[in-house]
Amino acid sequence: MAKASKPERAEVYRDHRIQLVLSKFLSGEINKIDPVYDSKYGYRYPSVEALIGDPIATEEILTRLYDVGILKRQVFDKTIYCPQCNSANVSIRYSCPYCKSFYIKKSSLIEHIPCGYMDKEDQFKNGDKLICPRCHMELSKQDVNYRKAGIWCSCNECGKSFDIPVPSHFCRVCGTNFTFDDAIYRDVYSYTLNEEIMKEVGAGFILVAPIREFLQSRGFTVESPSFLKGKSGTSHMFDITASREGMTQSVLVIDIATSKDELVSEQSIIAMFAKVYDVAPDKAFLIAIPKMSGNGGKLAELYNIKLVEAKNQNEAIKALEACMIAEAIQVPK
Ligand SMILES: [Zn+2]
Ligand SMILES: [Zn+2]
Ligand SMILES: [Zn+2]
């Protein structure tokens, strides 16, 4: 269940790194974020790191997305970290309960069922066969004429025997020995998208990141969200603005309007026109997902707002590119 309110989540969506991660979910490139073990760092999320850049920021962003209810999580594993140096490169040591040495020998206890003799497996070993030391019969079929009766350990240091060793840990990086009492013991999660939340939000926030990437890849300087001051002195917010040196049309403004129903209302065109009239950018584009209403289309033409209609993110980028080219804006590959 979502733990944060809608405005709190809206704040989170403003983070470009988050837009990027969520856009990969929406395009189907990522369905689940699974951790991958790395002996140096412990678990990492390479699919998200590829977008964000470093493991610490990745963890922070995933936790934030979970906290506001955008991502769901499931426990994938638990990891032990060294209390001294925080490394995950930690081994487990089964130790002697008497002298704490980890130099112990583990053997199986075997019972020869017909004669009832029980001893350590070593005592039965005879070449690659198992022979009963008491009655000299061969033990051939496990669970028929013999059975494993448990585990028996002996300590190479103090010579004592025991059946349950005590686990302890050894840090392979700094050499610290520690027990569970001192260990840092953390949950490791896999993450999936909370579909409910994404329906609530609509595609608008999420579309910004891929469009921004596309424009940057074509040499534009991009701002999003972007605030431009109009003739009236008022600042207006656009979802994206793009500009490029040496371009005839120097400032492009882009807004995104989405609708859960069939058609985007003409209200979005009217709202954009008010801003465009004041700011007077060189070109204004409105991306309508999935389709603009008939009246909206007419208004867009009247107000000289270039309408880009698309069903999803990939279509939106292609349609925007086609529209820019039609407007004689150079979009070099
Ligand atoms: Zn350590
Ligand atoms: Zn011992
Ligand atoms: Zn026997």
Side-chain angles (χ1 to χ4, degrees):
M1 216 29 236
K3 288 171 285 179
S5 64
K6 199 171 170 178
E8 280 176 85
R9 281 195 291 277
E11 196 47 46
V12 171
Y13 297 125
R14 294 251 167 252
D15 186 326
H16 300 127
R17 299 170 303 172
I18 284 174
Q19 290 174 359
L20 210 53
V21 173
L22 294 180
S23 71
K24 300 290 175 189
F25 269 111
L26 291 183
S27 68
E29 277 172 74
I30 294 179
N31 291 314
K32 193 172 177 214
I33 301 173
D34 274 332
V36 174
Y37 190 72
D38 173 310
S39 64
K40 197 169 167 198
Y41 290 93
Y43 280 103
R44 301 173 72 159
Y45 298 90
S47 59
V48 182
E49 270 180 47
L51 306 169
I52 289 170
D54 87 272
I56 293 163
T58 296
E59 282 272 6
E60 281 170 7
I61 281 188
L62 290 173
T63 305
R64 198 160 158 223
L65 285 170
Y66 167 74
D67 285 343
V68 297
I70 297 169
L71 293 183
K72 295 187 285 186
R73 70 183 187 193
Q74 272 186 312
V75 177
F76 180 89
D77 197 3
K78 301 273 306 187
T79 7
I80 298 156
Y81 294 87
C82 169
Q84 201 61 44
C85 75
N86 219 25
S87 169
N89 194 348
V90 164
S91 72
I92 187 155
R93 284 178 167 178
Y94 293 108
S95 311
C96 168
Y98 303 102
C99 74
K100 309 290 182 238
S101 167
F102 67 91
Y103 187 32
I104 65 168
K105 186 172 164 43
K106 176 194 170 195
S107 9
S108 298
L109 273 186
I110 288 183
E111 182 187 0
H112 186 215
I113 296 167
C115 80
Y117 183 77
M118 197 190 290
D119 209 335
K120 286 184 271 183
E121 189 170 6
D122 282 2
Q123 304 301 315
F124 288 85
K125 280 243 165 90
N126 196 325
D128 51 6
K129 286 181 179 169
L130 293 172
I131 305 290
C132 176
R134 180 195 277 169
C135 69
H136 308 293
M137 265 173 70
E138 188 184 342
L139 281 59
S140 51
K141 286 198 177 107
Q142 188 169 345
D143 297 325
V144 176
N145 59 17
Y146 75 98
R147 67 180 186 95
K148 296 227 166 154
I151 295 297
W152 199 242
C153 301
S154 46
C155 176
N156 293 312
E157 293 289 344
C158 72
K160 291 194 170 122
S161 294
F162 46 92
D163 57 351
I164 303 170
V166 175
S168 69
H169 301 289
F170 171 68
C171 174
R172 294 187 180 111
V173 174
C174 74
T176 301
N177 276 300
F178 57 98
T179 60
F180 183 69
D181 287 6
D182 298 315
I184 301 166
Y185 196 45
R186 259 187 231 138
D187 293 350
V188 180
Y189 302 101
S190 338
Y191 294 88
T192 49
L193 189 64
N194 184 352
E195 303 286 346
E196 287 304 307
I197 295 293
M198 293 323 291
K199 276 182 218 148
E200 163 202 287
V201 169
F205 286 114
I206 305 311
L207 265 174
V208 170
I211 290 171
R212 185 188 164 96
E213 270 194 322
F214 157 73
L215 291 168
Q216 282 171 334
S217 75
R218 301 304 166 83
F220 289 88
T221 302
V222 184
E223 290 257 345
S224 72
S226 169
F227 295 87
L228 297 180
K229 205 170 220 174
K231 296 180 289 257
S232 69
T234 310
S235 272
H236 299 281
M237 193 189 92
F238 293 92
D239 288 332
I240 301 169
T241 58
S243 56
R244 193 170 59 214
E245 294 233 347
M247 207 175 71
T248 342
Q249 290 98 357
S250 60
V251 178
L252 315 177
V253 299
I254 302 171
D255 268 351
I256 300 166
T258 61
S259 168
K260 280 182 218 159
D261 314 319
E262 286 288 278
L263 298 172
V264 176
S265 129
E266 67 250 35
Q267 202 51 48
S268 52
I269 294 281
I270 296 167
M272 191 175 193
F273 176 67
K275 300 189 287 180
V276 166
Y277 183 78
D278 198 23
V279 169
D282 298 294
K283 289 271 183 219
F285 295 87
L286 185 99
I287 300 175
I289 312 280
K291 208 170 161 45
M292 179 52 73
S293 70
N295 276 346
K298 283 179 208 150
L299 281 177
E301 219 172 299
L302 190 66
Y303 294 158
N304 200 23
I305 291 172
K306 305 301 160 199
L307 197 56
V308 177
E309 294 174 309
K311 286 195 201 72
N312 56 43
Q313 154 186 334
N314 292 339
E315 255 185 38
I317 291 170
K318 281 196 195 109
L320 176 65
E321 184 174 23
C323 187
M324 287 168 77
I325 292 167
E327 292 301 312
I329 298 167
Q330 284 180 359
V331 193
K333 297 223 175 193

